[in-house]
Amino acid sequence: MNISTYTVKPKLPNSLKPLEEIARNLWLSWNFDAVELFIRLDYEGWLESQQSPVRTLGMVSQERLAEVMKDDSYLAALKEIYSRFLRYKKGETWYRGSKKDVVAYFSMEYGMDVSLPIYSGGLGILSGDHMKTASDMGLPLVGVGLLYRQGYFKQLLNADGFQQESYPENDWYNMPVELKNGKDGSPIKITVDLAGHQAVAQIWEVKVGRASLYLLDTNIPENSPDIRNVTSSLYGGDKETRIKQEVLLGIGGIRALRALGINPAVTHMNEGHSAFLGLERIRELMTERHFSFDEAREALWPTNIFTTHTPVPAGNERFEIGLIEKYFSSWPQVLGISWKDFLSLGRERAYDDSETFCMTVLALKLAAYANGVARLHGKVSRKMWSGLWPGVPLNEVPIHHVTNGVHPRTWVSSNMLDLLDRYFGPHFEETPTDLSVWNRMDRISDEELWRTHERRRERLVAFARERIRQNLKRNGAVERRIATAEDALSPYTLTLAFARRFATYKRGNLLLRDPERLIRLLKDTERPIQLIFAGKAHPMDMPGKELIRSIIHFAGQYDVESRIVFLENYDMAMAHYLTSGADLWLNTPRRPMEASGTSGMKAAMNGVLNCSILDGWWDEAYNPEVGWAIGQGEEYEDMNLQDEIESKALYDLLEREIIPLFYQRGRDGLPREWIRRMKTCMKQIGQSMSCHRMLMDYSNMFYFPALKNYHRIVKDDYAESKALAAYFSKLKSSWDSIKILKIGSNVKPVMQRGDSLTVTARIELGSILPEEVQVELYYGSVSNLSNDIKNARRTEMKSIRKEDNAFVYQVKVECNDTGIQGHTVRILPKHSALVHPYRTGLIKWG
């Protein structure tokens, strides 16, 4: 069939044309008054479009537009909101430096708005908040991702409660994306090699306030059906589909930025999916500058940033060597290295032929900066990947942490934002990096805060009833059964929410472990509770699907379907209702398997108290004034024992503390102590878990130093990186000749606090110069268990003379700590261009 295609756009009168610009910028996703413009324009169209402003505009009749043109109140609202939108784009920001060279942020998914369904869960929501916050702060940052024709699946629960999936097609021409065209008007395209086949991708732009996100799309006529399907769905297909997507994201993403005239001076890999970009950047520099592999790697290492989100080894992306060979067999020749050396870039044990190729390892080896996403996760990550830096003490493994955050104006409900804006003032919106504004929570009266929260709970209950009704109707329930949806939940009952991805380690059924005890709480006539569950299991995760089914069956078996509900198809729209309308947010992962989690942060900023295992972000945020901790951070080998202990701890908290506190009312009907905790929670979490705090951390710890590194490196035709490559070449060939011959000191069996300890080391360096290494005294308290030095201090030792073929180093320190103390000497690389001195195999201990 020969079909001619063309694009039809809405025909808007001049007075309404700002609507199209607003609709195509996701600034509206965190400005509800802008969203209301489209709801007022055509409410039925808004619902039918599934809350898509662009599609809503295309559905409005010309008659309705003519009506709106005469509505002075609507035109006044449009004028005011459009003026605020323009002021935002041109306004002063936290970052005021140059934007010539950018940080390119790569992520497999982005969750920014329900109208752009290219996300699956937490990673995508975080990436979306990252982009929005970068816009608020005016950072020189662009996003790079893939444009999925089907996005993630839509969850459907059948009459038995079993999850099924559907994959609706996305209509990009009715979504907030714009195809990037060249000067000749044709789409800008790039190509990548996929196992001998040239894949062509076009580039779409998503405007996110001041920032831009660029998405690659292979669903174009130039490609074969197999290549067109590379961007068909998020996390769909087999391992071969995944490697194609990751080649396109990493390698194609860099090429897309070049084609757009954007210089990715610094790259930030959000998870290992995009790690192939490191290889592409090396290839570029080798081709353009005729560098060796080592020279190019040293030039780019200080400008690469990697964030890991996975706290268990099995969760890291790994590819079989046969698949790597299929897609990268030509790369060793391009890079001027051997096949074994190429594979070693993705292996923990560099030359172990039995090991697969790991994307996390590749990212860690090519990035100078690496971090986990919470304090506990940073500790877990250092232990997990310590093998990449043998001999380096665990606390010095170069993986830091930046705790995740959420974008407040996206996730605080419109009702609560109205209240906060009134009491916080314009500073809250105009200067979002001033987190001290949350201290103004105390200005808000208990009555106003509680009434606002009660409205959100009422809206959540109404939303839940409608979602249940739709599910029953779709599954063919009789009218009498559908009518029971109106009895589901109560707007006056203590509401607990558990909403997240349904993986077994998250233990969505922990509260169901003692049915008799739970039913007693649900059916209490004076102080009842109700539970709302939501979340998707991965299509291939049968245990996760069975978990969902078991919750739905539990409610039916014990006749508590009006008290326990499972809402299908958890997405951003539902998340807004849940995180603002629940009273208590439940989180029950097996510690330490939750890297961070952010849903509880969203809830907390709405005044919803958390009750959680001490894992992820809650491990560092918890204190008794902002919520409850299940346990004290214990970790178990026996999972059944863990479930038994922690479920009982959860029941105890509910029965003895949470439920009594919620229903403890004064004469005015207000739970004053509960409200006091709400205020404290909003005040503390609003400051510590804001995405603006997170981006300030990333900027100060990584982005600004990496940009500074880039500008220093490119100066003098990359002379520094060439020198660094030569330095490491010399170091690696001579390292084994370094010998710590003797360590001496003035130590006595018993030293007094305040005594001076003088340590001398006699060291043979071979062909290495004294200024090319750092000799350190490593000292501190000695552990009774492991005979290791704990809480060690490091002090550089100075070369004081040469004796024969050895150098004598010496340092003097004071004895400040009591107890059993110890010391030794170690040697590390030393070069002014190093971000840190930890390189595999280059550490020598006395």
Side-chain angles (χ1 to χ4, degrees), residues 528-770:
I529 68 170
Q530 57 193 11
L531 300 172
I532 302 177
F533 291 91
K536 298 177 179 180
H538 187 278
M540 304 302 290
D541 183 5
M542 296 308 293
K545 289 184 176 184
E546 186 56 38
L547 196 55
I548 293 171
R549 184 173 168 273
S550 70
I551 291 169
I552 294 169
H553 277 232
F554 181 98
Q557 179 183 349
Y558 292 96
D559 192 26
V560 286
E561 289 174 304
S562 65
R563 295 289 187 184
I564 298 180
V565 300
F566 195 105
L567 303 182
E568 72 174 4
N569 201 39
Y570 183 43
D571 61 7
M572 289 185 73
M574 186 188 292
H576 279 97
Y577 283 100
L578 287 167
T579 55
S580 63
D583 298 298
L584 189 75
W585 198 258
L586 280 179
N587 188 30
T588 53
R590 295 191 190 280
R591 176 184 165 112
M593 296 179 72
E594 184 93 309
S596 173
T598 57
S599 61
M601 302 175 189
K602 298 164 190 140
M605 288 188 193
N606 280 286
V608 177
L609 302 182
N610 276 260
C611 179
S612 174
I613 298 291
L614 288 171
D615 198 8
W617 76 281
W618 192 238
D619 179 68
E620 63 196 83
Y622 165 72
N623 70 69
E625 294 297 302
V626 299
W628 291 270
I630 304 168
Q632 297 179 352
E634 302 91 347
E635 295 175 22
Y636 298 80
E637 291 186 9
D638 185 331
M639 291 190 291
N640 191 55
L641 176 65
Q642 179 181 15
D643 291 349
E644 185 67 20
I645 292 172
E646 292 180 341
S647 64
K648 285 182 177 178
L650 176 53
Y651 287 124
D652 287 344
L653 284 172
L654 287 169
E655 292 170 346
R656 299 173 187 175
E657 297 185 37
I658 297 169
I659 295 172
L661 190 69
F662 181 83
Y663 285 106
Q664 181 184 316
R665 309 293 171 102
R667 290 183 178 179
D668 54 8
L670 297 177
R672 296 280 182 178
E673 180 58 25
W674 188 278
I675 296 169
R676 186 186 69 78
R677 291 198 187 197
M678 286 175 67
K679 288 183 176 179
T680 304
C681 176
M682 295 173 76
K683 185 193 304 183
Q684 292 187 13
I685 305 305
Q687 294 182 70
S688 64
M689 297 300 156
S690 165
C691 211
H692 297 89
R693 184 274 311 152
M694 181 186 88
L695 260 291
M696 286 190 282
D697 285 350
Y698 272 115
S699 297
N700 292 322
M701 292 171 63
F702 304 143
Y703 292 168
F704 297 162
L707 283 167
K708 186 177 179 182
N709 292 342
Y710 171 79
H711 291 129
R712 189 187 69 247
I713 289 165
V714 298
K715 192 171 60 176
D716 300 328
D717 194 31
Y718 293 85
E720 182 182 270
S721 56
K722 291 178 182 176
L724 193 59
Y727 165 75
F728 273 116
S729 176
K730 175 184 178 182
L731 220 56
K732 287 173 184 176
S733 64
S734 306
W735 194 255
D736 288 343
S737 65
I738 295 177
K739 294 181 176 61
I740 301 175
L741 302 173
K742 183 180 179 183
I743 300 173
S745 72
N746 65 337
V747 71
K748 296 178 288 189
V750 177
M751 303 281 283
Q752 300 293 316
R753 188 171 187 178
D755 285 353
S756 289
L757 172 68
T758 301
V759 178
T760 304
R762 193 164 178 269
I763 297 171
E764 194 174 282
L765 294 177
S767 61
I768 297 172
L769 302 175

Side-chain angles (χ1 to χ4, degrees), residues 126 270 307-309 371-375 377-378 381 400-404 595-597 601 617 620 698:
L126 176 74
N270 190 41
T307 298
T308 175
H309 292 260
N371 70 282
V373 289
R375 184 175 64 194
H377 182 236
S381 298
H400 308 280
H401 82 271
V402 175
T403 302
N404 284 345
S596 173
M601 302 175 189
W617 76 281
E620 63 196 83
Y698 272 115

Side-chain angles (χ1 to χ4, degrees), residues 40 60 145 210 212 260 276-277 399 445 499 501 535 539 681 698 709 732 736 800:
R40 286 177 64 183
V60 181
R210 303 179 179 98
S212 289
L260 292 166
F276 291 134
L277 69 82
I399 301 176
S445 70
R501 181 166 60 89
C681 176
Y698 272 115
N709 292 342
K732 287 173 184 176
D736 288 343
I800 57 172

Side-chain angles (χ1 to χ4, degrees), residues 66-222:
E67 286 177 19
V68 173
M69 283 176 62
K70 299 173 185 176
D71 185 341
D72 58 345
S73 69
Y74 186 91
L75 293 176
L78 174 58
K79 182 179 179 181
E80 191 280 323
I81 291 165
Y82 185 58
S83 296
R84 188 154 58 85
F85 171 59
L86 294 179
R87 285 198 305 274
Y88 173 86
K89 291 209 296 181
K90 297 175 183 175
E92 199 171 78
T93 60
W94 180 76
Y95 175 78
R96 300 174 191 175
S98 169
K99 296 188 179 180
K100 178 186 174 185
D101 303 306
V102 304
V103 176
Y105 177 80
F106 286 71
S107 184
M108 199 75 164
E109 53 174 302
Y110 290 87
M112 290 179 290
D113 188 62
V114 70
S115 66
L116 189 63
I118 55 169
Y119 64 94
S120 71
L123 182 71
I125 300 299
L126 176 74
S127 301
D129 281 6
H130 199 109
M131 292 300 303
K132 293 173 185 179
T133 309
S135 167
D136 286 345
M137 296 169 61
L139 292 174
L141 182 144
V142 299
V144 180
L146 303 181
L147 189 69
Y148 303 101
R149 190 170 75 246
Q150 296 175 328
Y152 204 48
F153 68 90
K154 181 179 180 182
Q155 181 191 51
L156 302 170
L157 299 177
N158 67 16
D160 189 46
F162 188 77
Q163 174 184 295
Q164 298 171 315
E165 298 87 29
S166 73
Y167 293 86
E169 296 273 331
N170 288 321
D171 177 7
W172 302 127
Y173 294 93
N174 279 305
M175 290 184 174
V177 296
E178 181 182 342
L179 193 60
K180 295 301 291 179
N181 295 321
K183 292 178 181 178
D184 61 356
S186 61
I188 297 172
K189 296 175 182 176
I190 59 97
T191 61
V192 293
D193 181 84
L194 294 178
H197 302 282
Q198 291 302 303
V200 183
Q202 58 188 7
I203 307 162
W204 299 76
E205 180 182 14
V206 180
K207 291 183 171 65
V208 189
R210 303 179 179 98
S212 289
L213 165 64
Y214 298 102
L215 303 172
L216 278 67
D217 169 24
T218 61
N219 185 29
I220 53 178
E222 291 97 313

